[in-house]
Amino acid sequence: MSKKESDAQPAANKRWKKNTEKRRKNQYASYARNYVCKLANLEELTALKN
């Protein structure tokens, strides 16, 4: 590996790490949203039944 390539590697790793963290946060956020929606739907259904 040349000097140039070895210099580029840490930067790429940093970028990858940042993107992965961003993706993970978005994933958790969408899980939470889906969960809240499911709960809301459940409450509506139980309200309709009663």
Side-chain angles (χ1 to χ4, degrees), residues 18-35:
K18 203 164 71 180
N19 289 340
T20 320
E21 284 169 6
K22 214 187 279 179
R23 224 187 356 261
R24 191 173 294 133
K25 280 179 193 159
N26 288 343
Q27 218 174 8
Y28 285 142
S30 67
Y31 282 148
R33 265 199 305 274
N34 290 342
Y35 186 69

